[in-house]
Amino acid sequence: MQNYEPLSDRYDLTAYTTTQTCFDTEQIRMPVIKLPFQSQGLLLSMEGLEDQLAGKDLIFSADITYQFSAQAIQAKKLYGCKVLCLEWENIPFNYEEYEAVRNIKETVRGHADHYIAVTERAREALMLEGIPSEMI
């Protein structure tokens, strides 16, 4: 969170995590909302996240593989916010042998507004998966 805390002086930021986090969040200098964690095999989600995101202008999420990112897309559909995904994955179509993960990735790829590729290889993987370069 050290990258985002300085922004909280100028922007209204809120972080979301699960009640089962492995990290101490007490020292973070911005609001941290802990939501109940749900796990269904590869699907990890935060209960009620979509409704928590109502009224937000921008949602910054992680990899397109995560159910959390699909939940952000659902919030976008419900409330009209923008979704930005940070992408580390550098293996195109990784985990898509699992139908649930493939569905999540298709949902996020089809509806996110922008992507930040952490490396050039992550950018290439996104493009191989069909993301236009101007969205990265």
Side-chain angles (χ1 to χ4, degrees):
M1 297 303 294
Q2 65 188 0
N3 294 326
Y4 310 108
E5 284 180 336
L7 297 173
S8 64
D9 294 336
R10 295 187 326 222
Y11 301 99
D12 181 17
L13 302 178
T14 303
Y16 295 88
T17 189
T18 68
T19 53
Q20 294 176 307
T21 184
C22 298
F23 305 100
D24 177 18
T25 60
E26 298 304 315
Q27 301 302 315
I28 296 174
R29 298 179 335 211
M30 56 197 274
V32 177
I33 307 295
K34 294 181 180 181
L35 299 174
F37 176 75
Q38 293 185 348
S39 173
Q40 299 168 344
L42 292 172
L43 304 179
L44 309 173
S45 62
M46 286 185 251
E47 188 177 313
L49 179 61
E50 297 89 342
D51 291 333
Q52 286 284 326
L53 298 174
K56 303 297 182 194
D57 296 320
L58 177 66
I59 301 168
F60 181 73
S61 188
D63 279 300
I64 63 174
T65 305
Y66 295 137
Q67 179 68 17
F68 307 127
S69 295
Q71 289 181 275
I73 297 300
Q74 183 61 28
K76 173 184 176 171
K77 292 177 180 180
L78 291 170
Y79 307 113
C81 49
K82 301 285 186 188
V83 176
L84 169 67
C85 291
L86 180 73
E87 189 62 38
W88 283 91
E89 183 57 67
N90 59 18
I91 302 171
F93 306 102
N94 201 20
Y95 302 112
E96 288 196 29
E97 65 271 20
Y98 303 104
E99 182 180 6
V101 175
R102 185 174 56 253
N103 291 339
I104 289 168
K105 290 177 75 174
E106 288 174 358
T107 296
V108 177
R109 285 190 302 237
H111 299 283
D113 296 285
H114 196 77
Y115 305 84
I116 296 175
V118 177
T119 66
E120 184 58 35
R121 186 67 184 120
R123 176 184 173 77
E124 292 169 6
L126 284 170
M127 291 183 350
L128 286 169
E129 291 186 15
I131 304 300
S133 62
E134 63 270 10
M135 292 183 70
I136 304 170

